[in-house]
Amino acid sequence: MTPGVGDQGEVSKSLAICSIRTVCYSLRATLNKMKLLIAAIFAALCVATFAVDVHEHNKVVCYWNSTSFERSGPGKFQVDDLRPALSLCTHLVYGFAGINADTLEVVPLNPNLDTGAGYAFYRMVPQLKRSFPDLKVYLSVGGNADPYESTHKYLLVTETSENRRKFINSVEKIFNDYEFDGIDLAWQFPTVKVKKNRGTFSSLWHGIKKTFGYGKFKDDKEVEHRDGFTLLVRDLKTALRPKFKDVTVTVLPHVNASIYYDARLLAPNIDTVHLWSFDQKTPERNPKEADYPAPIYESYGRVQEDNINNQVRYWLEHGTPGSKIVVGVPTFARTWKLTSDSQISGVPPITTDGPGAEGPHTGIPGLLSYAEVCSRLTESAVGRLRRVNDPSKKYGSYAYEPYNSDAGTDGIWVGYESPDTAGNKAAYAKAKGLGGVAIVDISLDDFRGICTGDKFPIVRAAKYKL
Ligand SMILES: *[C@@H]1O[C@H](CO)[C@@H](O)[C@H](O)[C@H]1NC(C)=O
Ligand SMILES: *[C@@H]1O[C@H](CO)[C@@H](O)[C@H](O)[C@H]1NC(C)=O
C-alpha cells in the first residue's frame, strides 16, 4: 500500500466513521429526547395516578391561628401577612374549627371571621392557592382551641358509628362549600396528668389546681375511644379519597399516643401525623419549676416529661412510614416568674412561681411570641434578657432576667425557640428521614421581620435545614 492510497483510505474511513458517528449522535440525541419525553409522560402519569408526594421529606406545615386577627397593635395578623410565609410553607393549616356538642358536627369556632359575611376566611384563605399553586390548605379541628364540654364531645364522636357518621357528613359538607385540600384532626383527647417530681420541691407540688380541659376526668373507655378514632379516620378517608382530599392527624401535647393512636392501623388512612412534641413543661402544668419546653432528647439524669425523639420513636416503631411523621416546632416561648427563691444561675430546672409576665403584643401570661423574645435580647433592650444558647443542639435555648433584689422586682425565665433551635429540629427530622416540620404557629413567629429584617425567621431557618 502506498502512503497516498493509505492516506486516502484512512481519510475516507474516518469520514465514514465520522458520518456514522454523526448519524449515531443525532440518533442518540433523538433517543434521549424520546427518553426524556417518555420519562416526562411517565412522571406525569405517576403524579396523576399515585399522587407522588413532591414534599416527601421537606414538608413545612404551617399552622395559623386565625384568631390572631383579633389581636391589637403589632400582634394583629391579617390575611395579607400570610403571603411572605406561603412562599416558605408547603401546607397551611387553618386553626381552628370545633365540634358542636349537640349535633357532633364540625363547626366554625369564630363564625364572624371564619364564614361570616364580613371576612369569610374559609373562602378567602384557600383562594391564596391561586398565587401559590403548590400550596395545600387544610382545616384543623380541635387544637385545644375548642372549649371543653362536660359531654367530652371528642370522645363521644368516636363512640358509635352513628356519631362518627354525623361528624364525617359535616366534614363532607365543608368540602362541598369551601376549597380546602384536607382536614386535620387535632383531636382533644384526655391528657396525661402531671408527673410529680421526686426532687427537693415535691412539697410545692401539692395542691396544684388545674381545672381546664378534662380536669380530674379518668377515661375508663380508652381502648374503645382509640378503636373508635381509628374507624373514624378510616371512614373519613374512604369518604374523602374520591375527592382527592387529605386526612392528617395532630397529636396534641400530653396526649399519650400509645393510648389513643393505633399507629399501625392509622398509617394507611392518614397522609401525615403532626407531633406537637413541645410544651413538655408549661407554667400551667409546672408552675413551680421551669425547664426546657421542647427538648429533642431527654436531659441526663432529669425527670423530663417527654421529648421529641421518644414520640417520633413510638410512631416509627409502630409502622408509620418516616415520610408521614412531621415534627412540631413552636414559635412561642414558655415563661415563668423568677423570685427571690429562684437560683441566680438561671440553669434549668429552676424554682419559679407561676407564669411569667405577659408580652406587649400577645397579652397572655406565661407566653411570649418570638418577636417579643427577640426584642428583649438586644444589648440596649429594656428588660434585657440574658441569653443562653444550646451548643449540644438537644435541649433548646433559654433566656432570663434574674430577680432584682435591690428593687424587689420579679424576674422571668424564658424557654424559647430561636431560628437556630428550629433549625436543629429540622435537621433532626432530616437525619431520621421524616416528613418535615410543623410550625406552631406562624402568627407567633416574627412575621413583621422586626428581629433582623427577615420575616418569619423561624419558618425560614427550619425550612433551609430540611
Ligand atoms: C389564638 O389567638 C388568640 C388571640 O391572641 C388567642 O386568644 C387564642 O388563645 C389563640 N388560640 C390558640 C389555640 O393558640
Ligand atoms: C403512656 O401509656 C403507656 C401505656 O399505658 C404507658 O406505659 C406510658 O408510661 C404512658 N406514657 C406517659 C408519658 O404517660
Side-chain angles (χ1 to χ4, degrees):
M1 242 200 262
T2 63
V5 172
D7 276 357
Q8 241 180 344
E10 284 304 311
V11 169
S12 58
K13 227 200 270 170
S14 36
L15 267 178
I17 290 170
C18 180
S19 63
I20 288 171
R21 276 214 189 123
T22 317
V23 171
C24 278
Y25 277 141
S26 59
L27 243 181
R28 207 186 289 165
T30 318
L31 265 175
N32 275 341
K33 269 187 209 150
M34 279 172 66
K35 259 194 228 157
L36 272 179
L37 194 68
I38 290 168
I41 292 171
F42 244 95
L45 275 177
C46 280
V47 170
T49 330
F50 305 109
V52 162
D53 184 359
V54 289
H55 297 296
E56 197 176 0
H57 295 291
N58 59 6
K59 295 177 199 42
V60 180
V61 178
C62 295
Y63 286 79
W64 175 47
N65 173 359
S66 60
T67 312
S68 57
F69 181 82
E70 290 178 351
R71 292 180 195 139
S72 54
K76 184 182 180 73
F77 191 110
Q78 316 211 37
V79 172
D80 271 345
D81 292 317
L82 286 170
R83 290 182 178 272
L86 298 185
S87 51
L88 304 167
C89 307
T90 57
H91 299 70
L92 179 70
V93 184
Y94 188 104
F96 285 91
I99 293 177
N100 177 309
D102 299 322
T103 64
L104 301 183
E105 291 174 333
V106 57
V107 286
L109 281 178
N110 201 338
N112 177 40
L113 218 54
D114 295 339
T115 52
Y119 299 107
F121 282 3
Y122 279 18
R123 200 169 302 282
M124 280 167 71
V125 173
Q127 283 174 0
L128 290 168
K129 286 185 284 181
R130 292 183 193 151
S131 314
F132 301 93
D134 293 336
L135 180 74
K136 285 191 173 186
V137 183
Y138 296 164
L139 178 66
S140 186
V141 185
N144 285 338
D146 192 5
Y148 286 81
E149 309 264 350
S150 52
T151 53
H152 302 314
K153 54 195 179 185
Y154 282 82
L155 299 179
L156 205 55
V157 169
T158 68
E159 283 177 5
T160 65
S161 67
E162 193 196 343
N163 290 357
R164 295 191 289 266
R165 183 45 52 195
K166 287 180 188 165
F167 178 81
I168 292 168
N169 288 346
S170 72
V171 173
E172 287 194 88
K173 176 151 187 346
I174 294 262
F175 282 122
N176 289 339
D177 295 347
Y178 303 102
E179 294 171 52
F180 291 108
D181 301 293
I183 184 115
D184 175 60
L185 306 178
W187 217 247
Q188 295 181 184
F189 279 120
T191 52
V192 298
K193 303 290 172 274
V194 183
K195 277 207 199 86
K196 256 203 202 150
N197 238 355
R198 282 187 301 271
T200 28
F201 315 118
S202 66
S203 59
L204 296 171
W205 287 75
H206 291 300
I208 293 167
K209 48 91 228 191
K210 213 56 258 178
T211 47
F212 75 96
Y214 287 89
K216 288 200 183 308
F217 173 75
K218 163 97 179 70
D219 188 359
D220 294 321
K221 296 188 283 187
E222 288 172 350
V223 174
E224 187 187 319
H225 292 140
R226 181 192 59 207
D227 294 348
F229 185 77
T230 306
L231 295 175
L232 176 73
V233 169
R234 186 199 64 186
D235 294 349
L236 186 58
K237 187 66 192 180
T238 305
L240 298 183
R241 201 174 271 120
K243 300 184 164 94
F244 300 104
K245 302 296 182 188
D246 293 346
V247 175
T248 61
V249 162
T250 291
V251 182
L252 296 177
H254 307 293
V255 171
N256 187 336
S258 66
I259 294 177
Y260 288 110
Y261 293 97
D262 191 331
R264 211 171 288 283
L265 293 182
L266 287 173
N269 295 317
I270 58 172
D271 292 274
T272 39
V273 54
H274 311 132
L275 304 181
W276 284 19
S277 331
F278 46 76
D279 276 353
Q280 310 300 355
K281 291 287 164 85
T282 68
E284 283 75 30
R285 287 171 64 91
N286 321 93
K288 296 296 176 188
E289 189 181 74
D291 207 343
Y292 296 110
I296 301 177
Y297 296 99
E298 67 246 5
S299 309
Y300 178 73
R302 190 91 69 71
V303 184
Q304 209 111 41
E305 299 213 341
D306 211 346
N307 56 63
I308 292 174
N309 190 51
N310 260 345
Q311 299 195 4
V312 165
R313 216 169 44 201
Y314 169 78
W315 291 86
L316 282 176
E317 283 174 0
H318 292 82
T320 314
S323 61
K324 288 194 177 186
I325 301 173
V326 176
V327 173
V329 176
T331 52
F332 54 87
R334 290 298 180 190
T335 74
W336 286 258
K337 188 199 291 178
L338 297 177
T339 68
S340 57
D341 292 333
S342 312
Q343 302 88 311
I344 54 166
S345 69
V347 176
I350 182 169
T351 305
T352 53
D353 186 23
E358 61 184 51
H361 307 168
T362 49
I364 301 169
L367 179 140
L368 291 176
S369 68
Y370 179 61
E372 288 170 329
V373 174
C374 84
S375 63
R376 290 181 64 177
L377 292 173
T378 56
E379 289 291 329
S380 55
V382 180
R384 181 182 159 231
L385 299 171
R386 295 181 195 172
R387 160 185 202 151
V388 182
N389 293 329
D390 175 21
S392 77
K393 303 187 181 194
K394 288 182 176 172
Y395 312 123
S397 41
Y398 66 91
Y400 66 104
E401 184 190 11
Y403 169 78
N404 183 329
S405 54
D406 296 334
T409 48
D410 294 329
I412 191 167
W413 194 93
V414 179
Y416 71 104
E417 203 72 40
S418 67
D420 282 346
T421 59
N424 293 343
K425 291 185 165 94
Y428 167 88
K430 181 174 180 157
K432 296 272 175 185
L434 307 181
V437 292
I439 310 290
V440 187
D441 75 273
I442 56 171
S443 78
L444 297 174
D445 195 354
D446 176 18
F447 65 92
R448 296 187 191 281
I450 63 170
C451 303
T452 62
D454 273 340
K455 293 179 178 177
F456 300 102
I458 292 191
V459 182
R460 204 176 290 274
K463 181 183 181 78
Y464 292 121
K465 287 285 169 125
L466 286 178

